[in-house]
Amino acid sequence: MVMCLVRFLFVAGLSVLCAAQAWAQRYDAEQGRFDYVLHCSGCHAPDGSGVSSGGIPPVKDQIGYFLTLPEGRAFLMQVSGLLGAGLTDERAAGVTNWMIEQFAGPSMPKDFLPISAEEARRYRLAKPADIVGTRDAIAARLIEAGYPIK
């Protein structure tokens, strides 16, 4: 009888843990989408296409290529709009990961690892002085490597 109770409690505990994890992942995705709409879509457009007339590059089908270079991965956390949004490191990483998962499309690296809050903190503290020049230099390296960067 005691073993049955122990098994039941073990299975019940695992069920609660799995449900909590699923809820947390759903919450993170919802928070990422909310933060994108609130802080990013005004410039990058709701569909990630950017605003070429305003010099805002697309993230759709492009953002994943930046993950192929260490400085490109850092750059995603250093863009002015993200730094100026007042988000915590956790939420900054969350919205960036949401954007990657939502918009990378064919640019998504097969070995994609989400950006952690700690990684976001480090990158955000090391913001380059010339963000446009930094993007241009990263884009040039990606183009040289054969990626179709716009």
Side-chain angles (χ1 to χ4, degrees):
M1 181 72 166
V2 171
M3 284 306 287
C4 286
L5 181 60
V6 169
R7 285 185 192 145
F8 172 78
L9 291 174
F10 179 75
V11 170
L14 280 179
S15 297
V16 168
L17 183 62
C18 289
Q21 184 177 13
W23 179 85
Q25 289 172 346
R26 191 183 97 245
Y27 174 78
D28 289 346
E30 288 176 6
Q31 185 65 56
R33 180 180 176 280
F34 175 82
D35 285 336
Y36 179 79
V37 169
L38 188 62
H39 301 290
C40 310
S41 68
C43 293
H44 289 287
D47 66 352
S49 61
V51 181
S52 59
S53 63
I56 307 298
V59 292
K60 185 174 183 163
D61 299 334
Q62 301 279 302
I63 194 168
Y65 297 133
F66 284 78
L67 298 168
T68 65
L69 297 173
E71 63 271 28
R73 186 173 175 94
F75 171 79
L76 295 178
M77 298 306 308
Q78 297 167 337
V79 296
S80 300
L82 184 61
L83 290 175
L87 299 174
T88 64
D89 295 329
E90 290 80 10
R91 284 183 55 194
V95 69
T96 304
N97 289 326
W98 183 88
M99 290 172 63
I100 293 164
E101 292 167 2
Q102 185 70 28
F103 297 126
S107 72
M108 176 68 90
K110 296 200 183 328
D111 60 349
F112 167 64
L113 293 173
I115 296 169
S116 70
E118 172 57 28
E119 193 177 7
R121 185 189 67 75
R122 284 193 326 266
Y123 293 150
R124 289 162 49 129
L125 289 173
K127 179 188 175 207
D130 179 8
I131 199 69
V132 174
T134 299
R135 188 208 186 270
D136 290 346
I138 293 168
R141 286 198 56 207
L142 291 169
I143 289 167
E144 286 175 21
Y147 294 107
I149 298 298
K150 296 177 186 172

